[in-house]
Amino acid sequence: MSARWLGLWAVCCALSASSAALAQKRAADSSGAPRAGDGSEVVLSVGETRTISARDVKNYSEGVPGIVDVRLTTDASQFVLVGKKPGSTTLLLIKTDGSQSAYTVNVFTRSPVIVEKELNELLTGLNVHSRRIGAQIVLDGMVENEADLKRVQKIASLYADQVTSLVQVAQTGEVITAGPTENFLIRIDFYFVQYDKNSSYGVGIGWPDSIGGTTSATLNYDFLLSSVRSATATVAKQPLPRLDIATRRGWAKVLKQSTVITNNGTEATFQNGGEQNFPINTGLTVGVERIQFGTTLTVQPRYDPLQHSLNVKLSADVSDLTAAISGSELPGRSTSKLTTNVTLKLGQSLVLSGIRTESLTHTVSGLPGLSEIPVLGLLFGSHSQSTLASEGAIFVVPSVVETIPNSAAELVDAALKKFKDYDGKIDTVGSYDKRPAGGVNVPH
């Protein structure tokens, strides 16, 4: 037999083996067991609908009747599942090639996503966690006393046919451990941004309020030397007017950033600022008035890895010194205070408070009647106007710290090196990463 005929015979044998293997695979696929990986879970609330592809499906079977209503669209391309009553069932789809796909259908009274969000808000401050099992949401954990247990039971009763409580009171001496999220570190960045713009002008002839008045004179005479050492004379409310041609404008921006890192569920407090001391004369004694300023933050985060949500309870107090008012040497304080409790998804940020103010002041002074004449009134009076605009906001960016990129020694070495090389340019210091985890953009 020639080599050509031997090659053709080998190819035919290989094709026959491949056909046999393919036939065995099809026979295995057409067996009664569903294919691995085809099954999935369908979550519905009563009255809610979902669709499932009906292509190549010749028959279907429902496990527990009455939980869902299975309907076929007019073009026979999709199944429409409608939740009828709470419970769990299965849906088996048999396709034209003999393969099968199984679905687990869980029907809730209300949307489980909404219920779990409400539970997280109601259970804030308690060591209680929710998890979804079938068509039920189970509360698990331990509380410190009977009052907290009754609170949990009352909350569970609000969702009687959907939520089950397994919460117990800890025994005497038993330590209540945190839930599965105790090892998470939570980082929260606060940005306090404020923009100010002001302008003013004064134009015209400034006339005195009255002509004439007190004239004072001071004379210092040295009797030992028989000579005058100094003399001062003051003439007030003279009749000559002044010329007002002043104008002023400017702007200012303030950015403060505070970063707090704490264990999940643990309250943390951060303070940054100072105080200034001012002497105060009270009768015959001299005292000291302390005026404090700076930032005080108190935060308590709770992270749920199952829902990828972060509940943050925080209180912020920001204050700055302002210029003293007329007649006083003590400065004032501008303060911003905020107390709130919010729930965020990871990657989200929010503005907790924002203030925008604009003020316009126009003043006319001068000779009565004549100063109010348009245009010519500038010769008999002075016109001044002051404009002030301010806008500020507090941004909050939470994140979960799962890993620490540098060791403690490397962080200390880097900080000491920056301290040694510091030459007065504060913008180039970069003592720590001021961007939140994940590279979220921050306001500038």
Side-chain angles (χ1 to χ4, degrees):
M1 182 181 293
S2 64
R4 179 180 179 183
W5 288 107
L6 285 174
L8 291 175
W9 178 77
V11 172
C12 291
C13 291
L15 291 174
S16 298
S18 300
S19 299
L22 182 59
Q24 291 177 359
K25 184 178 183 299
R26 288 179 177 176
D29 290 343
S30 61
S31 61
R35 293 180 182 176
D38 283 351
S40 60
E41 181 185 15
V42 178
V43 178
L44 296 169
S45 58
V46 175
E48 189 179 5
T49 61
R50 287 285 189 278
T51 59
I52 297 176
S53 176
R55 295 185 180 278
D56 300 326
V57 176
K58 68 177 181 179
N59 203 352
Y60 70 92
S61 176
E62 185 180 353
V64 181
I67 303 297
V68 295
D69 185 13
V70 184
R71 306 170 185 173
L72 188 64
T73 58
T74 55
D75 59 355
S77 63
Q78 289 182 328
F79 286 108
V80 179
L81 306 183
V82 183
K84 295 182 64 177
K85 66 178 183 180
S88 299
T89 185
T90 58
L91 181 64
L92 180 64
L93 304 182
I94 304 174
K95 299 187 177 181
T96 55
D97 61 357
S99 62
Q100 301 176 8
S101 296
Y103 292 87
T104 300
V105 184
N106 294 316
V107 180
F108 295 81
T109 303
R110 293 180 59 200
S111 171
V113 176
I114 298 177
V115 172
E116 289 175 342
K117 181 179 179 181
E118 294 176 354
L119 288 174
N120 290 335
E121 295 176 354
L122 294 172
L123 296 172
T124 299
L126 299 176
N127 184 45
V128 179
H129 309 279
S130 63
R131 63 186 65 182
R132 195 184 306 174
I133 301 177
Q136 281 285 313
I137 298 176
V138 179
L139 302 180
D140 191 13
M142 287 189 177
V143 293
E144 297 180 353
N145 48 54
E146 291 289 340
D148 289 342
L149 180 62
K150 291 181 180 179
R151 175 186 171 186
V152 175
Q153 293 174 346
K154 180 64 176 178
I155 293 174
S157 66
L158 300 176
Y159 313 90
D161 55 350
Q162 192 167 347
V163 178
T164 302
S165 175
L166 301 179
V167 179
Q168 299 178 354
V169 178
Q171 301 297 324
T172 304
E174 185 176 2
V175 179
I176 300 179
T177 59
T181 63
E182 58 180 339
N183 294 325
F184 285 101
L185 289 177
I186 308 300
R187 168 174 172 167
I188 302 179
D189 293 87
F190 299 87
Y191 298 90
F192 304 89
V193 184
Q194 181 173 329
Y195 307 92
D196 295 323
K197 182 179 180 180
N198 61 81
S199 62
S200 63
Y201 71 85
V203 61
I205 304 298
W207 294 86
D209 295 337
S210 60
I211 299 176
T214 303
T215 301
S216 62
T218 303
L219 178 67
N220 292 329
Y221 183 81
D222 192 332
F223 289 95
L224 296 179
L225 300 177
S226 300
S227 63
V228 178
R229 301 185 60 181
S230 63
T232 303
T234 303
V235 179
K237 298 180 180 179
Q238 40 78 24
L240 299 178
R242 69 178 188 275
L243 178 62
D244 289 339
I245 56 173
T247 181
R248 180 175 61 89
R249 65 181 62 247
W251 56 268
K253 62 180 181 179
V254 179
L255 171 62
K256 292 185 179 181
Q257 178 184 3
S258 300
T259 301
V260 178
I261 298 180
T262 182
N263 283 328
N264 189 23
T266 303
E267 184 178 283
T269 301
F270 171 80
Q271 292 182 335
N272 181 31
E275 66 178 23
Q276 287 191 5
N277 300 327
F278 298 89
I280 298 296
N281 295 325
T282 306
L284 300 177
T285 62
V286 178
V288 176
E289 180 73 19
R290 295 180 175 87
I291 300 181
Q292 296 181 344
F293 61 94
T295 302
T296 301
L297 292 175
T298 301
V299 59
Q300 183 179 21
R302 291 185 180 276
Y303 173 59
D304 185 355
L306 299 179
Q307 302 296 325
H308 297 287
S309 61
L310 188 64
N311 180 269
V312 182
K313 180 181 179 181
L314 61 90
S315 175
D317 187 347
V318 182
S319 61
D320 280 317
L321 296 181
T322 59
I325 61 176
S326 177
S328 173
E329 297 181 356
L330 295 179
R333 285 200 315 163
S334 63
T335 62
S336 299
K337 296 184 179 181
L338 175 68
T339 300
T340 186
N341 192 333
V342 296
T343 300
L344 298 174
K345 292 291 184 181
L346 287 185
Q348 290 183 332
S349 59
L350 77 160
V351 181
L352 290 180
S353 67
I355 298 176
R356 177 179 175 86
T357 59
E358 291 187 7
S359 62
L360 176 64
T361 303
H362 186 80
T363 305
V364 178
S365 61
L367 300 180
L370 297 178
S371 61
E372 300 178 4
I373 300 175
V375 182
L376 294 179
L378 296 176
L379 301 177
F380 304 97
S382 176
H383 293 240
S384 62
Q385 182 168 300
S386 177
T387 304
L388 175 62
S390 178
E391 182 171 350
I394 301 178
F395 297 84
V396 178
V397 184
S399 56
V400 176
V401 181
E402 297 183 353
T403 59
I404 300 178
N406 297 326
S407 65
E410 291 175 345
L411 290 175
V412 173
D413 291 342
L416 293 179
K417 185 178 184 303
K418 290 183 176 67
F419 179 78
K420 181 179 179 180
D421 297 338
Y422 177 62
D423 59 356
K425 297 180 180 179
I426 194 72
D427 294 336
T428 62
V429 172
S431 57
Y432 71 101
D433 187 6
K434 299 177 178 61
R435 299 172 302 170
V440 180
N441 292 329
V442 298
H444 293 286

